[in-house]
Amino acid sequence: MKLKARPLAHRVLRAALRVRPDEREAFVRRACGGDAELGKRILRLLRLREDGGAFLRPPAVAVERAAARRRTSDEGESARSPGIAAGEVPSTDDVLAGRYRLTRRLDAGGTAVVFHAKDELTGAEVAVKVMPLLGMADADRLRREAAALRWLRLPGVVQLLDDGSEGRHSYLVMDYVEGEAFPGLTVPVPWSALRTPAIALLETLARIHWAGVVHGDLKPKNVLVGEDGLPIVLDLGLSSGPELGAEQGMGGTPRYIAPERIDG
């Protein structure tokens, strides 16, 4: 796709999301004029979004839990799980929201810590990203990451399951992804071995960019490759886009920042 077509693609995509599903195809074809290839790409992305499940709304589990909290508050009881008190730093064996038991620490970066956890309601393994709310910038970063994950319910992107706050921390609950940092192989390796994960990652990034989102901190540790050789993109805390806003200043890891961002 030509660079000049990208702004049109983003406008048409956003407008199509406000059109009734049964009228979207006709709307997209009219909006793209004579550019049939552009229309096909936008329709393909819309179908991928539909296949990925509901988007642009909180996961059902989050809505259900929020309603339960409101009911508990109305009854005059504490609406917060006793797992983490205000001011405490989360650690293994703590329980968030009365259901996510933190079992081990997976990663840490900046002010956030990622834990492996067990959902004691469903028995599922999940990943929980916990961030202390030290200021507006931290709150905005987590809000933007949650919004990006809801927006990007696409193949190749980690899925958001729940989000909320407890004590002075906010958290995101995501699918637990088991794998190795991209490319999932001991380098250097021949192209024949690298081809599958590399092309799959490029296809995922194309879907992300078509949705109007820029990751902002793409690097090997933020892409995990599973045993099937397919990559999953993680950590959209520095993502930006028309629907998300943008990080203030230059975010990202210096070693992996695109040269054009440094040059301005």
Side-chain angles (χ1 to χ4, degrees):
M1 180 179 64
K2 295 180 180 179
L3 290 176
K4 65 181 182 181
R6 288 185 179 177
L8 173 62
H10 295 161
R11 288 196 300 272
V12 173
L13 177 60
R14 290 196 295 272
L17 293 171
R18 296 191 289 270
V19 175
R20 287 174 43 183
D22 60 342
E23 297 177 353
R24 282 178 183 165
E25 183 171 351
F27 170 81
V28 169
R29 296 193 187 284
R30 288 196 306 270
C32 291
D35 195 336
E37 182 61 28
L38 180 62
K40 288 179 182 178
R41 288 174 178 268
I42 293 174
L43 290 171
R44 188 179 305 124
L45 181 58
L46 288 168
R47 283 193 291 272
L48 282 170
R49 288 171 177 275
E50 292 168 359
D51 292 343
F55 56 95
L56 288 180
R57 65 175 182 264
V61 66
V63 175
E64 179 183 347
R65 185 162 54 79
R69 285 182 171 179
R70 285 195 295 272
R71 289 194 298 270
T72 304
S73 296
D74 291 341
E75 295 168 0
E77 301 175 4
S78 172
R80 186 171 60 82
S81 158
I84 298 177
E88 288 186 358
V89 177
S91 59
T92 55
D93 212 37
D94 281 336
V95 178
L96 281 169
R99 63 183 292 187
Y100 303 113
R101 183 173 296 278
L102 310 181
T103 57
R104 68 179 186 273
R105 183 166 165 165
L106 296 175
D107 194 17
T111 58
V113 181
V114 180
F115 292 91
H116 173 278
K118 180 180 179 181
D119 183 347
E120 297 193 329
L121 183 62
T122 65
E125 291 184 280
V126 295
V128 180
K129 183 174 185 177
V130 184
M131 176 182 286
L133 298 179
L134 303 177
M136 289 300 295
D138 294 316
D140 183 65
R141 181 173 295 181
L142 208 67
R143 175 204 62 77
R144 191 168 56 250
E145 181 168 10
L149 289 173
R150 290 193 186 106
W151 180 257
L152 296 173
R153 290 185 178 274
L154 298 170
V157 180
V158 69
Q159 296 297 291
L160 179 70
L161 304 175
D162 195 4
D163 64 287
S165 60
E166 187 153 319
R168 296 181 182 175
H169 296 78
S170 285
Y171 60 88
L172 303 178
V173 181
M174 297 161 283
D175 285 336
Y176 172 62
V177 179
E178 191 166 3
E180 300 295 330
F182 186 86
L185 303 164
T186 302
V187 293
V189 294
W191 169 247
S192 58
L194 189 60
R195 184 179 187 276
T196 295
I199 291 179
L201 177 58
L202 291 173
E203 290 173 344
T204 297
L205 291 175
R207 289 192 285 266
I208 292 173
H209 293 164
W210 264 86
V213 175
V214 174
H215 186 284
D217 193 23
L218 192 69
K219 56 187 176 183
K221 69 175 293 187
N222 286 342
V223 181
L224 292 185
V225 180
E227 292 183 354
D228 58 2
L230 299 178
I232 301 292
V233 174
L234 316 170
D235 197 350
L236 281 94
L238 297 180
S239 59
S240 60
E243 309 294 335
L244 306 175
E247 176 80 0
Q248 296 298 314
M250 171 131 359
T253 305
R255 181 178 179 182
Y256 298 101
I257 292 177
E260 58 268 25
R261 291 185 60 201
I262 297 174
D263 294 340

